[in-house]
Amino acid sequence: MEAILKVKDLGIAFGGNKVLDSVNFYVNEGEVLGIMGPNGAGKTVLLNIISGILKADHGEIIFLGQNILKESITARTAMGIGRTFQVPRAFEHMSVYENILASVVYGQKVSEKAAAVKAREILKLVKLEERANEPAGKLRLINRKRLEIGAALASDPKLLLLDEVAGGLTNAEVNEILEIVKTIKGRGVSIIWIEHIIQTLMEGTDRIMLLANGRDLLTDTPEEVMKSSIVNEVYMGAEEDD
Amino acid sequence: MADKNMLKQKDAMPKVRWISLAVAVVVLVSLPFWGGDYIVNIFTLILMYMAIGEMWNLLGGYAGLVSLGSQAFIGLGGYSLAIVSQVLKLPFLLGFLLAAIVSVIFALLISFPIFNMKDVYFTIGTWLVAEALCVFFQTWGFVNYNVGFNITVARTLGATAMYFIAFGVAVIALLAVVLILRSKFGLGLMAMRDNEAASEIRGVKLYRSKLICFLISAAITGLAGAALYLNLSYIKPTVGFSIDWTVSMVFIAVIGGMGTIEGPIIGAIVFVILRQLLYNFSGFSMLILGVIAVVMILVAPKGIMGLINKKSGFDLFGVKRKVKISDFQTNEDN
């Protein structure tokens, strides 16, 4: 299996505080890599760097064989990196359909007519077809999360970055999200999934990376990671998950 | 069930929309033939203010560019008209062409420095540019320094001709916004309006989109500036580049509803009527308008159109994209 993403010695500091010191990992094609870590471990910062929102101080991000560290946000989207945000960022005054449509039009650089077909496919995948004409701002949390995933999928990404898409949901809703993620994986999309609900990571990922103190402390299968004493040490020291 | 109904619900809006638009067009086109001069003049003002309100709204309401320097294009438009008609003695309509061209060139030139300014610095930057332009025109002999020009061609035009010029400018402004918002580019603009950071991650190129809006807004504000000064028949720097123009545009957009096409139409009607009513309180009129705007922001931050939209979902120009449940079924069949 070939790595679609390789991250080498990635680091960033804010005002002298090293949030990420030296992070190294890879994601294989079609693989789901879960990322866990205590509050402030830099998980979202890592996704922000990969998606281009933040600039790393050092390191390399090799995506599809190319170092993308200097690429713009939109260039990375066009190359095939899609992402969700921890707090869903919908286009509130646009309908659910328009949210996906705009994301397809700009993400895939296609005409609105061509985008309409793809938008409908995505709405079906994230089970929002019945809410298609509703304003996104009026959706409840589970549907906002669905929309967020749908919008991230709209650019037809090869790598999808999920930032706590199951956070704040009921068990039944978490399972719905899990099913959607499995379907996306089934389509061959590689995924990096930050989540705090351990059970979700256990069920939905191929490998889990433990991020703490600005470093990748451990990366292994979910079962092996859970058995590791490092996980206990890290979480015993942490006050509370974010 | 309710969800299905929402999707199945036939779009009842087109009928209302077409009837409303048809009535508006008939009333506006026929107005000079049945309305008195006073009414025609009021509508002339409404149409011109609507045009500049739409253009400020394109910047502030959609592209997130809160400009306090749009008066620069009003002044450039007015001076273009004055130079063409008074200095070059050419047909005044060429002044409108020059107004749009000069405004776009000026917008392009200043875009490089001011687009590097973010948020409030952009706002201040636009204001300073307009002020600098005002000072430059005050010291420029070619445009008669601080004395300015009498635009004598205005005296040869009747109220009807002036009305139809204003009508033309308003139609251009409105058509530009409607066509933009109905286009692929418009989808990106609406996304930017709602969440700039998210729109960028979805692939919208912010700089390019903002620049296009800035240039379009400059061109049409320049056109409107020419129309406004054709109507006023006199221009000098302190009036042509007065920030009062932009204050009016902001008022119109805020009262009517920012980020909507209909908002500046409603805002312009309210603004012109209020200004007429407050005519005898000239010292206080801007103060009163300001208080009204502040109250409106507190009570209805999305303006009058926001309230209407919330109640009825009314969309006069049909820029909302909708999908029917049958579209999903077709997909399934395929």
Side-chain angles (χ1 to χ4, degrees):
Chain A
M1 211 182 281
E2 204 157 308
I4 191 169
L5 181 84
K6 287 178 193 166
V7 171
K8 296 177 187 170
D9 187 32
L10 202 68
I12 189 169
F14 299 120
N17 177 28
K18 279 187 184 174
V19 176
L20 296 180
D21 185 7
S22 177
V23 176
N24 299 273
F25 67 95
Y26 64 89
V27 183
N28 285 324
E29 275 181 20
E31 183 189 35
V32 182
L33 175 73
I35 299 182
M36 58 186 282
N39 201 7
K43 303 182 294 295
T44 297
V45 169
L46 178 62
L47 293 200
N48 284 344
I49 295 174
I50 296 172
S51 57
I53 294 171
L54 290 173
K55 300 261 177 264
D57 295 337
H58 58 82
E60 283 182 6
I61 302 173
I62 312 292
F63 178 63
L64 294 169
Q66 187 184 338
N67 191 353
I68 58 165
L69 217 53
K70 287 184 179 167
E71 299 293 342
S72 67
I73 295 173
T74 50
R76 293 184 202 199
T77 304
M79 289 171 83
I81 297 177
R83 78 162 288 181
T84 68
F85 290 95
Q86 199 172 337
V87 177
R89 293 185 185 181
F91 307 129
E92 304 273 316
H93 299 104
M94 296 169 78
S95 70
V96 168
Y97 172 64
E98 286 174 321
N99 266 263
I100 302 292
L101 188 70
S103 303
V104 175
V105 162
Y106 281 89
Q108 297 192 33
K109 295 184 175 24
V110 293
S111 69
E112 212 174 306
K113 199 175 171 187
V117 178
K118 296 180 184 194
R120 289 196 294 268
E121 283 171 17
I122 291 169
L123 284 173
K124 281 171 77 173
L125 172 66
V126 296
K127 297 183 173 61
L128 277 177
E129 63 265 49
E130 290 186 0
R131 309 228 170 243
N133 291 325
E134 285 185 27
K138 288 189 176 173
L139 294 178
R140 62 193 185 96
L141 186 60
I142 173 68
N143 291 327
R144 281 175 168 265
K145 300 270 186 177
R146 285 184 172 129
L147 178 58
E148 190 73 7
I149 296 173
L153 280 177
S155 61
D156 198 16
K158 295 175 184 74
L159 175 67
L160 182 61
L161 313 176
L162 300 177
D163 195 352
E164 295 195 34
V165 281
L169 301 178
T170 64
N171 286 340
E173 290 169 343
V174 169
N175 287 334
E176 285 179 40
I177 295 292
L178 194 55
E179 284 313 307
I180 292 172
V181 175
K182 283 179 181 172
T183 307
I184 296 167
K185 188 197 173 195
R187 295 182 173 197
V189 178
S190 306
I191 298 170
I192 296 178
W193 189 359
I194 293 176
E195 200 56 72
H196 278 295
I197 306 166
I198 302 297
Q199 194 54 38
T200 313
L201 288 184
M202 293 290 289
E203 285 183 39
T205 63
D206 298 308
R207 288 185 301 138
I208 295 177
M209 178 173 88
L210 175 64
L211 190 67
N213 306 322
R215 288 176 172 267
D216 52 301
L217 296 186
L218 173 72
T219 308
D220 211 327
T221 60
E223 293 75 20
E224 291 303 315
V225 168
M226 286 309 139
K227 278 187 219 162
S228 166
S229 59
I230 302 173
V231 173
N232 280 335
E233 282 167 28
V234 165
Y235 277 91
M236 290 280 278
E239 285 174 18
E240 201 180 308
D241 290 351
D242 56 3
Chain B
M1 192 65 191
D3 303 334
K4 295 233 175 196
N5 284 343
M6 181 136 189
L7 261 184
K8 281 179 182 170
Q9 187 186 21
K10 277 233 165 193
D11 189 0
M13 284 301 157
K15 225 177 192 176
V16 182
R17 184 184 303 144
W18 285 115
I19 292 170
S20 309
L21 285 173
V23 169
V25 169
V26 169
V27 168
L28 288 173
V29 171
S30 64
L31 184 80
F33 306 107
W34 52 265
D37 272 3
Y38 179 74
I39 293 291
V40 171
N41 286 335
I42 292 291
F43 272 85
T44 301
L45 288 175
I46 288 174
L47 291 168
M48 291 189 293
Y49 276 101
M50 189 211 86
I52 59 175
E54 287 289 354
M55 289 304 107
W56 191 88
N57 187 44
L58 184 63
L59 287 183
Y62 287 98
L65 297 171
V66 179
S67 163
L68 276 185
S70 293
Q71 68 272 24
F73 306 112
I74 299 273
L76 287 174
Y79 269 102
S80 297
L81 175 80
I83 289 166
V84 164
S85 63
Q86 299 305 123
V87 180
L88 304 174
K89 309 285 184 197
L90 292 169
F92 77 91
L93 283 176
L94 284 177
F96 282 80
L97 185 64
L98 186 68
I101 293 170
V102 167
S103 297
V104 167
I105 292 170
F106 184 72
L108 198 58
L109 288 175
I110 63 169
S111 69
F112 299 110
I114 65 166
F115 271 50
N116 283 319
M117 301 175 188
K118 299 277 173 209
D119 306 322
V120 72
Y121 297 102
F122 172 86
T123 306
I124 294 168
T126 54
W127 173 58
L128 289 177
V129 165
E131 286 298 307
L133 203 58
C134 179
V135 171
F136 174 70
F137 270 66
Q138 283 176 307
T139 56
W140 192 17
F142 181 66
V143 294
N144 284 346
Y145 302 107
N146 213 8
V147 178
F149 293 105
N150 276 312
I151 303 171
T152 52
V153 66
R155 292 176 205 147
T156 64
L157 291 173
T160 302
M162 189 60 234
Y163 172 82
F164 279 114
I165 287 170
F167 183 72
V169 170
V171 167
I172 289 171
L174 206 54
L175 262 183
V177 178
V178 171
L179 292 177
I180 286 171
L181 293 184
R182 283 187 160 203
S183 71
K184 187 173 155 176
F185 177 61
L187 261 183
L189 269 192
M190 287 189 276
M192 265 171 64
R193 169 199 65 190
D194 284 3
N195 194 319
E196 205 170 286
S199 70
E200 190 176 24
I201 210 91
R202 302 295 171 233
V204 178
K205 290 184 175 168
L206 299 182
Y207 186 92
R208 197 171 69 176
S209 303
K210 288 180 180 203
L211 182 62
I212 292 170
C213 282
F214 193 56
L215 298 181
I216 293 170
S217 173
I220 298 175
T221 306
L223 268 184
L228 283 160
Y229 278 99
L230 184 65
N231 192 42
L232 288 169
S233 73
Y234 175 67
I235 188 166
K236 64 176 184 174
T238 48
V239 179
F241 298 104
S242 166
I243 197 169
D244 285 358
W245 288 116
T246 301
V247 172
S248 308
M249 296 181 212
V250 175
F251 180 89
I252 288 165
V254 167
I255 292 289
M258 277 174 70
T260 65
I261 304 179
E262 299 86 353
I265 301 174
I266 298 169
I269 295 169
V270 173
F271 175 75
V272 172
I273 291 172
L274 273 176
R275 223 180 58 156
Q276 291 303 116
L277 293 174
L278 298 170
Y279 187 75
N280 292 326
F281 308 96
S282 59
F284 298 99
S285 63
M286 287 307 266
L287 182 71
I288 295 169
L289 289 174
V291 170
I292 291 169
V294 170
V295 170
M296 196 72 195
I297 289 167
L298 293 172
V299 176
K302 286 171 191 155
I304 296 170
M305 196 56 210
L307 291 176
I308 295 172
N309 226 320
K310 199 174 174 186
K311 297 265 181 208
S312 65
F314 186 61
D315 164 29
L316 185 61
F317 296 98
V319 295
K320 287 182 181 166
R321 279 80 166 169
K322 295 204 172 182
V323 65
K324 293 176 192 159
I325 199 163
S326 56
D327 294 338
F328 289 104
Q329 285 164 345
T330 309
N331 268 1
E332 231 160 44
D333 296 344
N334 291 340

